[in-house]
Amino acid sequence: MENHTRCSDTNDPIDSFKLPKGKAGVSILWPNAWTNSIKKLKDGNERVIAILITASQELCIINAYMPTCNTDSQFEYTECLDIIYDIIQKYQETHKVILCGDLNGTLLSTRSNKHDKMLKNFVAEMGLSTGQDICEKHTFFHHAWSSSSQIDYILVQDKKLVLNYTIDEKSSINLSAHTSVRVITTIDIPAKVKSANKNRKAKYKLQWDQMDTNQYNRLIQLGI
């Protein structure tokens, strides 16, 4: 895979001797065979990145990790929305726009904090949607199971781009607080697969001490 990645200290690197607990970044990954069709954009910040894809239809994909909801976070949240707005305005005339990521705000009507309100207003203003009616299944689960919500989205301006929208069940071996959200689109990205990569397989190591062993055992018993 190739990637376009920014981390929390990309623009202001932290000395390795003063590094605090690891902080998140944001990344877009794609198969090596697509690389000639990808252009990394300088637009954005350490929370918002974007790429252009030359395909059957020109695409602009924006990936965002929005600020969490805490004291005065609405100012940083608004700044990120402004950056996303500028990217959409810049490319929407020539490209189909897809916005995705952990938006730390929900489009569900069951919650309405300051981030939720700003996100809902922004989505309405920019004509964004999931492209299909989706269930109210949650995508985020607090590690202590004290709360959950739907805050991870893939949003489009053109609903015709979306063939299928899926929110996956939370896997017992998924150590993230989030589950995955997937979309199948109508876009065809031509790519030549190198023969040397055909037999490559990723290797995974299960972290048994951190996984949900009760759920894992239940699935084994059910034969799933």
Side-chain angles (χ1 to χ4, degrees):
M1 304 290 284
E2 294 287 343
N3 73 90
H4 178 29
T5 301
R6 290 198 188 115
C7 299
S8 59
D9 67 339
T10 293
N11 297 324
D12 186 18
I14 301 173
D15 187 278
S16 58
F17 292 101
K18 299 178 181 178
L19 284 176
K21 181 180 179 181
K23 296 179 69 176
V26 61
S27 186
I28 301 175
L29 290 85
W30 60 87
N32 292 327
W34 291 8
T35 297
N36 290 338
S37 301
I38 306 291
K39 178 182 179 181
K40 302 177 184 179
L41 297 181
K42 294 182 179 180
D43 307 72
N45 63 4
E46 69 276 9
R47 287 186 173 274
V48 180
I49 60 175
I51 63 172
L52 301 181
I53 303 179
T54 300
S56 56
Q57 295 185 68
E58 302 295 287
L59 281 177
C60 174
I61 297 182
I62 306 167
N63 193 12
Y65 170 47
M66 300 295 278
T68 55
C69 194
N70 51 45
T71 304
D72 296 329
S73 62
Q74 67 269 27
F75 299 110
E76 188 180 5
Y77 199 91
T78 299
E79 178 186 6
C80 288
L81 287 180
D82 287 343
I83 291 171
I84 295 170
Y85 174 87
D86 288 340
I87 297 174
I88 293 176
Q89 287 290 98
K90 187 174 180 180
Y91 294 103
Q92 66 180 353
E93 295 299 321
T94 55
H95 292 72
K96 299 290 185 181
V97 175
I98 298 177
L99 168 64
C100 56
D102 176 358
L103 302 185
N104 266 313
T106 187
L107 299 178
L108 297 179
S109 59
T110 52
R111 199 182 77 176
S112 188
N113 63 36
K114 56 189 177 184
H115 287 191
D116 301 334
K117 293 175 182 177
M118 287 187 284
L119 178 62
K120 289 170 183 173
N121 289 337
F122 180 80
V123 165
E125 178 185 357
M126 303 308 297
L128 294 165
S129 76
T130 55
Q132 292 186 352
D133 292 331
I134 61 172
C135 63
E136 296 189 359
K137 186 184 297 184
H138 288 184
T139 64
F140 169 82
F141 305 87
H142 192 279
H143 285 295
W145 295 98
S146 57
S147 62
S148 63
S149 188
Q150 185 185 99
I151 60 175
D152 304 273
Y153 291 99
I154 301 173
L155 305 174
V156 297
Q157 288 181 314
D158 184 356
K159 295 181 179 180
K160 294 179 181 179
L161 286 180
V162 180
L163 289 177
N164 182 264
Y165 193 110
T166 303
I167 299 174
D168 290 328
E169 296 290 342
K170 185 75 161 59
S171 167
S172 59
I173 60 174
N174 176 8
L175 303 185
S176 170
H178 301 256
T179 188
S180 54
V181 179
R182 295 179 291 119
V183 157
I184 297 175
T185 75
T186 58
I187 303 296
D188 177 41
I189 303 176
K192 295 182 179 179
V193 180
K194 296 181 180 179
S195 57
N197 294 329
K198 287 184 178 179
N199 297 320
R200 288 187 180 180
K201 292 184 179 180
K203 295 182 179 180
Y204 303 95
K205 180 180 178 181
L206 296 180
Q207 295 179 315
W208 296 101
D209 59 327
Q210 298 182 47
M211 65 182 288
D212 187 340
T213 53
N214 290 330
Q215 183 186 2
Y216 184 84
N217 287 331
R218 286 196 299 270
L219 294 175
I220 293 296
Q221 291 169 6
L222 293 172
I224 297 177

